[in-house]
Amino acid sequence: MKAKWYGPKQILMIVFTGILLLIDASIVGGSTNTVLPAMAEAHGWDANFLNIFAGLGCVLDGVGVLFWAKFARKSAKKLAAAGLFLQAACLVVFGYTNNLGVLILMILVMGLAGSMFASTAVMTLTANWWPTKKAIVLGYSTMGIILMSIVYAPYIPVAFAAIGIGPTNLWLAVAIAVMGVISLALVKDTPEEAGTTPDGMTGVSLDKAKEISRQLAEYKSPYTFQKLAKNPNNWCVAFAMGISLMVAMTFIATTIPALLSFQYDYGQAIAIFSVGGVAALAGSWILGMVDLKIGTKKTVVIFLVIMLVGAISCCLMPKAIMAAWVAGMIFMFTNGGAKNLLPSYVATIYGRWDYPAAYRMIGTIGLVMCGLGVMITGFFKSYMSMYIFDIVLVIIAIILAVIAKDKFIGKKDEMEA
């Protein structure tokens, strides 16, 4: 049985999910380098204080998976649309408010909205459409996360200066609402509904594929939260990937202000952040390919070792611009694969039938730690102490990754038989 996972319908789904990941990375995760510093300056607020709540928003982006997963099983596209509409509405208020309390509330609600359309819906759609090819597919779709540093972060401050913070967020809200309409009108929850098969398999009856799709919608996984929590391997995977996301975000959330504090000029800081985005695109694709070729566990160990080199380079940034470039390229490269490898690991172990149940636990832990990475940047008194903390965490993650196993234990998919 041959598979053409990159057929026209599949490519459109990859583009769609990639855009949703771009929106989430920009509005929820990318605020610490763009809108929050601008708003802090405009209103006289403490930027570090705002970063703490931006981190809490990212935490809610992860925690929300616990609640939204059951809705994604019924209809991931409707969940995505609801999240996008909520995000758009909040973004308008966020852009125009002069009240600190309202601003913080919008940050937190937008985190929950991001959990709906990105952390939950996107990953569920990917598992539904590509049960066995998810690694390479995520290598492409998660490029949307990385595009934040290329198409969003460098230009949003320019837009703020040209038309203002409020109008800029209003136009972004309109674009996000349009994506919500597209999700409702054009996106299909399963490949069978779109007239194709999982992984684009050929030689399979569409009627059989549709029947499996119906069974999938009614399937109740035996992997309850309690059962998942009793498996030590799940904790190893969750914390190994969670630490990688946490460490990556401590660097990425503070890249520009940290480099400015080390006496580099704004142009150099933006250059490292933007060019690093290209490295991140490469990381997302390359790590997806490596995952496909040698397996998830080995790929995770390799990428964590690379991340350790980046963390060590951070400690040398105040003394050498080359160290800043090395750290920037490595952290962006590994971040390009981090959110790719987390859902891939879950799908590798549990498959598309049990993926939503398993991701509720493993994915939530990983994404919560990602948010904590943003939040803790507001607590460190110096960037150097934060980088030393990161080195220790990455070493722990490497140990957990070596211990973890990626053996498949989920329900066998008939399409794979």
Side-chain angles (χ1 to χ4, degrees):
M1 195 181 298
K2 297 181 178 179
K4 190 174 182 181
W5 61 266
Y6 51 87
K9 293 177 181 178
Q10 285 80 1
I11 289 176
L12 288 174
M13 181 60 78
I14 291 173
V15 172
F16 173 75
T17 55
I19 292 174
L20 297 199
L21 292 174
L22 168 61
I23 294 171
D24 188 46
S26 300
I27 305 302
V28 179
S31 61
T32 56
N33 280 299
T34 54
V35 64
L36 293 185
M39 298 189 88
E41 182 179 356
H43 299 285
W45 294 328
D46 184 342
N48 283 335
F49 180 74
L50 294 181
N51 284 354
I52 292 172
F53 286 97
L56 283 174
C58 292
V59 168
L60 290 176
D61 197 334
V63 172
V65 175
L66 286 171
F67 180 73
W68 303 123
K70 59 183 178 181
F71 295 98
R73 171 55 67 203
K74 295 180 179 179
S75 179
K77 75 167 193 174
K78 291 181 180 178
L79 179 66
L84 288 164
F85 291 140
L86 178 60
Q87 184 84 288
C90 289
L91 195 57
V92 175
V93 178
F94 174 82
Y96 282 98
T97 186
N98 293 316
N99 184 289
L100 180 59
V102 172
L103 180 79
I104 290 173
L105 177 62
M106 291 301 100
I107 290 174
L108 299 180
V109 176
M110 288 192 293
L112 282 173
S115 180
M116 294 168 71
F117 66 80
S119 301
T120 307
V122 164
M123 299 310 170
T124 301
L125 288 169
T126 301
N128 286 348
W129 277 70
W130 295 277
T132 67
K133 300 294 182 181
K134 72 283 174 185
I136 184 60
V137 169
L138 287 167
Y140 287 103
S141 63
T142 53
M143 288 181 179
I145 298 171
I146 313 310
L147 285 173
M148 179 273 292
S149 62
I150 299 175
V151 304
Y152 179 82
Y155 302 108
I156 289 302
V158 176
F160 289 163
I163 64 175
I165 295 175
T168 298
N169 282 286
L170 175 59
W171 282 109
L172 288 172
V174 171
I176 291 171
V178 169
M179 289 304 299
V181 173
I182 291 174
S183 183
L184 281 178
L186 302 177
V187 173
K188 304 298 182 183
D189 283 310
T190 64
E192 294 88 347
E193 292 176 17
T196 184
T197 56
D199 289 325
M201 289 283 188
T202 58
V204 174
S205 165
L206 185 57
D207 287 338
K208 180 179 179 181
K210 288 181 177 179
E211 173 59 20
I212 292 176
S213 179
R214 182 192 65 77
Q215 294 174 11
L216 182 65
E218 298 175 354
Y219 177 69
K220 185 176 181 179
S221 175
Y223 290 102
T224 62
F225 194 91
Q226 291 77 9
K227 184 175 182 178
L228 290 163
K230 291 179 181 179
N231 187 339
N233 192 62
N234 291 332
W235 293 100
C236 286
V237 172
F239 279 102
M241 296 310 306
I243 288 173
S244 72
L245 288 165
M246 183 177 182
V247 171
M249 290 313 298
T250 61
F251 178 84
I252 293 171
T254 59
T255 302
I256 294 176
L259 291 174
L260 293 177
S261 75
F262 298 148
Q263 306 307 309
Y264 297 114
D265 62 45
Y266 187 76
Q268 289 174 311
I270 275 290
I272 291 173
F273 194 77
S274 300
V275 176
V278 177
L281 287 174
S284 182
W285 182 80
I286 291 173
L287 288 171
M289 288 295 294
V290 174
D291 184 352
L292 187 66
K293 296 294 183 182
I294 69 173
T296 309
K297 173 177 176 172
K298 293 178 181 178
T299 304
V300 168
V301 173
I302 291 171
F303 117 98
L304 283 171
V305 171
I306 295 173
M307 180 174 278
L308 179 60
V309 175
I312 294 172
S313 298
C314 286
C315 295
L316 304 175
M317 289 198 302
K319 297 181 179 180
I321 184 66
M322 183 57 66
W325 275 101
V326 170
M329 295 307 102
I330 287 179
F331 267 104
M332 291 295 189
F333 178 89
T334 52
N335 186 55
K339 286 191 176 178
N340 173 345
L341 291 172
L342 173 59
S344 177
Y345 218 140
V346 176
T348 295
I349 298 173
Y350 290 97
R352 73 163 176 164
W353 291 80
D354 296 299
Y355 172 88
Y359 195 76
R360 271 188 87 192
M361 175 195 164
I362 300 173
T364 298
I365 293 172
L367 295 176
V368 165
M369 294 184 73
C370 179
L372 288 174
V374 179
M375 188 173 71
I376 64 174
T377 61
F379 293 103
F380 281 100
K381 294 182 179 180
S382 74
Y383 291 115
M384 199 56 57
S385 59
M386 183 177 73
Y387 298 145
I388 294 173
F389 177 72
D390 286 344
I391 291 172
V392 174
L393 284 181
V394 176
I395 292 173
I396 293 172
I398 292 173
I399 295 172
L400 292 173
V402 171
I403 295 172
K405 298 178 177 63
D406 59 358
K407 180 182 178 181
F408 180 79
I409 60 173
K411 174 180 167 62
K412 186 71 174 179
D413 197 315
E414 291 183 35
M415 289 298 184
E416 302 173 51

